[in-house]
Amino acid sequence: MDSAIQPEIYQGYYGEFTITDDDRRDVWLYRGGLAIAALCFSLGTALMLWHGDRVSVQNAVTVLFGIFCAGLGLSLAKIHIYLVPLHRLLQIFWAMGCVAAIALMSFFKQPLIAVIFEHPASIWGIGFTFAALTGIFFKEGFCFRRVETMVLTPLVPVLLLGHLTQLLPATWAAVGSMVWSLLFLTFAARKFTQAPAADIGDKSVFDYLEKQKTT
């Protein structure tokens, strides 16, 4: 039998565990979602910096934001986090941000990006989506000590709060957004260089925590 399709056996903290084809598929879906989100965010940022005053560009960026949210949602569905409440919290944040985005577009009848720029208070709603993204950055930085995620974890809240309070100069915001885009792309690309087992983690811990809930 082809060894590539046989489960891999690892020694975990609470015993042996296997990594199956389904596990590997989930990892690629997680990474694919991140890649989609990173590409959409970076392209949207480039378009806004190029001709963000054009309605056609704003409409395109709004579409890209929708795809970004879909990619991020996929990643949040497939990410492996030992603490289930934290995992659910990030998913709730994502959902709240998506609902807020739909509500903002429905109320203001404008492209979403125009609403965000003209109404900084919109960050109180749509910011939840980026809080979920920041949670992924924090998790990746904590687990793998990736420099890009350790920079993105504080950078994203600073940029969002800077826009919310209107204390961040436009030039700094533009530079910060470009740095965010480049680091996000770097992070998403580097994920594909890791072995699937790295993103799956110690499944024996998941099994142990699941058993603790039933005892």
Side-chain angles (χ1 to χ4, degrees):
M1 183 180 294
D2 185 358
S3 61
I5 64 174
Q6 294 186 17
E8 301 172 39
I9 300 176
Y10 293 83
Q11 180 61 47
Y13 188 83
Y14 293 103
E16 291 185 342
F17 64 92
T18 60
I19 292 179
T20 65
D21 285 343
D22 287 342
D23 293 325
R24 286 186 283 269
R25 179 203 61 202
D26 286 349
V27 167
W28 292 117
L29 288 173
Y30 166 64
R31 296 175 180 180
L34 287 176
I36 291 170
L39 287 169
C40 288
F41 180 84
S42 300
L43 181 55
T45 299
L47 287 173
M48 287 303 298
L49 293 175
W50 175 53
H51 273 308
D53 56 334
R54 295 182 180 177
V55 175
S56 59
V57 169
Q58 295 172 2
N59 285 327
V61 172
T62 299
V63 172
L64 287 170
F65 180 79
I67 303 173
F68 159 85
C69 287
L72 180 60
L74 175 61
S75 292
L76 286 168
K78 298 303 180 181
I79 192 173
H80 284 230
I81 298 178
Y82 294 128
L83 298 176
V84 174
L86 177 58
H87 189 182
R88 296 292 175 261
L89 180 62
L90 294 182
Q91 291 175 322
I92 290 171
F93 278 179
W94 170 83
M96 290 173 64
C98 292
V99 170
I102 294 171
L104 287 168
M105 287 189 294
S106 299
F107 182 80
F108 289 101
K109 309 298 182 183
Q110 291 178 279
L112 180 60
I113 194 67
V115 175
I116 295 172
F117 273 97
E118 295 175 16
H119 305 277
S122 61
I123 294 297
W124 287 114
I126 200 171
F128 280 103
T129 297
F130 294 105
L133 176 62
T134 304
I136 292 179
F137 291 152
F138 176 81
K139 180 262 183 186
E140 291 281 346
F142 179 82
C143 292
F144 304 114
R145 312 303 293 175
R146 290 288 176 83
V147 174
E148 60 270 24
T149 54
M150 288 163 43
V151 173
L152 285 166
T153 298
L155 177 63
V156 174
V158 166
L159 290 175
L160 294 177
L161 290 173
H163 179 62
L164 175 65
T165 61
Q166 294 292 281
L167 294 177
L168 189 66
T171 301
W172 290 15
V175 172
S177 297
M178 286 189 289
V179 172
W180 179 353
S181 298
L182 291 172
L183 292 181
F184 195 1
L185 283 173
T186 301
F187 161 60
R190 291 184 70 195
K191 287 303 299 177
F192 288 97
T193 67
Q194 288 182 284
D199 278 330
I200 293 167
D202 186 345
K203 287 178 65 179
S204 73
V205 175
F206 289 105
D207 293 339
Y208 172 79
L209 293 174
E210 189 63 29
K211 290 177 181 176
Q212 290 294 103
K213 292 193 300 183
T214 59
T215 58

